[in-house]
Amino acid sequence: MIDSSNSIYKDHHYKAVFFETFGCQMNKLDAELSLGLLQEEGYRIVDKVDEADVILFNTCSVRQHAEDKVYSHLGALKTLKKRHPEVIVGVLGCMAQKDGESIFKRMPHVDLVCGTRMFSRLPELILNIRNYGLHVLAIDEDQVVHVKRAVTHRPNFYQAFVTIIRGCDNFCSYCIVPYVRGREISRTIPDIKEEVQALVSSGCKEITLLGQNINTYGKGLSENVTLGDLLSELNDLDGLERIRFVTSHPADMSRDLIRTMSRLGKVCEHLHMPAQSGSDQILKRMRRGYTAGYYRNLISYARELIPHIAVASDFIVGFPGETDEDFQETIRLMEDIRFHNCFIFKYSPRTGTKAADLEDDVADEIKRARNMRLLELQKGISLEENKKLIGREVQVLVEGASKADSNKLSGRTRQNHIVVFHGSREFVGKLVDVLIHDVTDLTLYGTLT
Ligand code: 5AD
Ligand code: SF4
């Protein structure tokens, strides 16, 4: 018999949770970890808000558009909440951290605002609302996130993300991340290894290490360790086949780390290292701490040591004061580097950042046109690069059925290309060789060899 007087079991009537996540990979992983915790408390996940007892949004603040979407989703819940006041509505993550108390003012039907470092206490916070009927604001910047991972809750069994450093100390002038995710805090190597080992023991083959600014991993830990040290230790784990890490910052990316990558067999030939702009003037105003020339040299060095390395980037168009000439420099950088893929964003001023003091003087039509131009350019480059793979064999970690065609399998190469091919389910979770015969800018198609 369960004693319900002072335990979490008091919550046993309220067991259906709807959870939606916005934003980056770290948010998706935090969502996964939060859901893991809730499932351990007996919650089941539902995919319709009107079946839920608890509705949670894990939010993003990186651009205004992401915030607008969340506020509109929240607004849409007003009538539901009127009909069912017992349903708990919670806002988690970056926007919760940034807007705090003011979310209750703007959306009085919200019950919970839970910041970026408090989600491990979700079950308890929800219970407090349930038991005492209060609004709960849980934001503590100094909190160290510690979540015991329930390894069964990840969406893809053979591939998993592992956060190794949270926060960012860089303060690029446009970026809200340091304000909402706080200062950099690294996890220790033994702690990370334990999590990766547990994932590998449960069948995981590929790990992607996550951090907003992953190259500074180790800073502030009592032991003097670097990302290279962590990669070397993980490389020795039996059963683990592939290791990736994102996101790299060009100014913090050392040549030493590139040498380490080239030495370690399990570390994939894949780098996500945002350039943001090709113009030195803009880079300076973005406070990025490098020039386009420095970026080019870094990539040349990486390609010298790791010939087939795929480099992905992010770019922001329409940063304050970006002229046509500045934009042409970005085009030149893209043409010269020939990235594997790029994410392009229109500049969005974020209150509280340094760039918010600059006039947002590039008209929206120009931002849109520059965005389109870069997308088109990258699409062409991706297609040309992918065509070079026709007739070649690539190693694929098979993830499961293809989303577009469930009769086919889908997986990724070490460089992170998506590959679709015919094959039986028994290959799922295995490394196979696929001969490529057809490509688009986003996908490779082939046959098992
Ligand atoms: N406006 C537009 N894009 C931004 N990014 C970060 N801050 C902003 C902003 N204020 C982009 C950067 C970063 C990616 C995650 O989001 O390109 O690399
Ligand atoms: Fe933002 Fe710059 Fe930190 Fe990346 S490195 S999270 S762009 S401040």
Side-chain angles (χ1 to χ4, degrees):
M1 173 83 182
I2 293 164
D3 171 16
S4 65
S5 57
N6 60 355
S7 84
I8 50 171
Y9 295 105
K10 267 192 180 170
D11 212 22
H12 71 289
H13 294 301
Y14 309 101
K15 294 295 187 193
V17 58
F18 172 91
F19 203 115
E20 188 164 352
T21 295
F22 301 83
C24 66
Q25 202 54 61
M26 192 172 287
N27 256 19
K28 289 185 190 144
L29 177 57
D30 286 352
E32 200 184 304
L33 298 174
S34 308
L35 277 175
L37 289 172
L38 291 172
Q39 281 181 305
E40 271 171 15
E41 299 292 328
Y43 283 79
R44 68 196 159 85
I45 303 166
V46 292
D47 54 12
K48 292 196 186 79
V49 281
D50 44 13
E51 290 171 5
D53 306 297
V54 178
I55 300 171
L56 301 172
F57 295 115
N58 196 21
T59 62
C60 168
S61 281
V62 82
R63 283 169 291 278
Q64 186 60 42
H65 179 63
E67 295 196 349
D68 294 344
K69 258 202 302 206
V70 174
Y71 277 114
S72 110
H73 278 56
L74 286 172
L77 292 177
K78 245 181 223 160
T79 32
L80 184 145
K81 182 78 180 174
K82 220 174 244 158
R83 269 187 285 124
H84 299 286
E86 74 284 3
V87 170
I88 292 178
V89 176
V91 180
L92 323 179
C94 295
M95 204 183 86
Q97 188 79 34
K98 175 173 156 284
D99 291 354
E101 186 89 50
S102 74
I103 295 176
F104 296 130
K105 295 214 178 76
R106 191 164 162 190
M107 297 280 161
H109 58 292
V110 168
D111 303 285
L112 169 68
V113 171
C114 171
T116 50
R117 295 190 175 191
M118 297 295 276
F119 66 88
S120 52
R121 290 181 48 205
L122 257 182
E124 171 198 337
L125 297 171
I126 292 173
L127 197 66
N128 279 342
I129 298 169
R130 182 68 65 208
N131 289 343
Y132 305 110
L134 300 170
H135 280 182
V136 170
L137 175 71
I139 289 173
D140 182 350
E141 271 212 19
D142 298 328
Q143 180 88 11
V144 177
V145 179
H146 192 83
V147 190
K148 264 265 166 283
R149 182 174 194 141
V151 288
T152 47
H153 301 301
R154 60 185 190 273
N156 181 339
F157 207 71
Y158 302 99
Q159 191 276 338
F161 293 93
V162 172
T163 299
I164 64 163
I165 173 169
R166 288 180 180 272
C168 181
D169 293 350
N170 267 353
F171 291 92
C172 300
S173 66
Y174 51 82
C175 188
I176 195 74
V177 166
Y179 304 91
V180 291
R181 290 242 172 214
R183 300 289 65 73
E184 288 169 0
I185 301 180
S186 294
R187 295 172 64 190
T188 63
I189 290 187
D191 193 20
I192 297 165
K193 257 176 93 172
E194 189 188 332
E195 182 173 335
V196 174
Q197 182 61 65
L199 285 162
V200 170
S201 303
S202 81
C204 185
K205 300 278 173 64
E206 179 178 313
I207 293 286
T208 302
L209 305 175
L210 289 182
Q212 264 88 23
N213 190 21
I214 202 142
N215 311 98
T216 52
Y217 171 77
K219 199 176 84 182
L221 284 177
S222 54
E223 261 180 275
N224 192 11
V225 292
T226 63
L227 179 58
D229 298 330
L230 174 64
L231 292 174
S232 300
E233 294 223 14
L234 295 180
N235 196 69
D236 290 339
L237 285 185
D238 284 338
L240 180 62
E241 302 281 0
R242 291 172 168 186
I243 308 166
R244 307 180 194 277
F245 58 91
V246 291
T247 301
S248 288
H249 190 301
D252 294 319
M253 177 81 199
S254 69
R255 292 190 171 218
D256 197 39
L257 181 63
I258 295 173
R259 285 193 290 275
T260 305
M261 285 177 79
S262 74
R263 229 178 359 92
L264 300 175
K266 293 182 184 171
V267 177
C268 292
E269 298 79 7
H270 169 221
L271 206 55
H272 181 203
M273 187 160 75
Q276 310 293 4
S277 171
S279 153
D280 288 348
Q281 255 194 94
I282 297 292
L283 286 170
K284 195 163 181 191
R285 258 182 283 147
M286 286 179 165
R287 298 186 166 206
R288 288 290 286 176
Y290 55 86
T291 61
Y294 182 88
Y295 187 91
R296 286 168 191 265
N297 287 338
L298 204 54
I299 302 288
S300 302
Y301 186 72
R303 285 183 169 157
E304 219 172 275
L305 266 66
I306 312 167
H308 295 297
I309 192 163
V311 184
S313 180
D314 299 351
F315 284 96
I316 296 176
V317 292
F319 186 79
E322 186 187 65
T323 62
D324 263 335
E325 183 43 42
D326 293 319
F327 180 63
Q328 290 308 319
E329 305 228 27
T330 297
I331 290 187
R332 272 196 285 281
L333 186 71
M334 254 180 135
E335 286 174 341
D336 294 347
I337 302 275
R338 299 182 72 79
F339 293 100
H340 174 74
N341 70 321
C342 287
F343 300 93
I344 325 277
F345 305 104
K346 290 190 295 174
Y347 171 67
S348 166
R350 310 281 59 214
T351 308
T353 61
K354 275 272 172 270
D357 297 341
L358 306 170
E359 193 191 340
D360 182 18
D361 57 357
V362 178
D364 202 52
E365 314 91 81
I366 297 185
K367 283 183 187 167
R368 214 171 313 145
R370 289 179 182 168
N371 191 350
M372 296 275 282
R373 172 83 179 85
L374 293 189
L375 284 174
E376 281 302 308
L377 176 59
Q378 183 54 44
K379 200 172 165 177
I381 292 171
S382 297
L383 183 61
E384 282 168 17
E385 289 300 309
N386 286 351
K387 277 184 180 162
K388 293 180 187 166
L389 294 171
I390 293 177
R392 298 250 300 268
E393 232 176 64
V394 293
Q395 186 212 59
V396 177
L397 174 62
V398 187
E399 290 178 3
S402 157
K403 281 198 192 96
D405 179 352
S406 59
N407 290 321
K408 291 184 178 163
L409 297 175
S410 158
R412 280 171 198 267
T413 67
R414 286 173 61 100
Q415 283 91 349
N416 217 26
H417 303 94
I418 296 169
V419 186
V420 173
F421 54 98
H422 270 295
S424 79
R425 289 294 162 91
E426 80 203 49
F427 291 113
V428 174
K430 306 233 158 68
L431 288 171
V432 296
D433 291 324
V434 176
L435 179 68
I436 302 304
H437 52 64
D438 200 7
V439 300
T440 66
D441 58 320
L442 296 176
T443 313
L444 313 179
Y445 298 90
T447 42
L448 279 167
T449 61

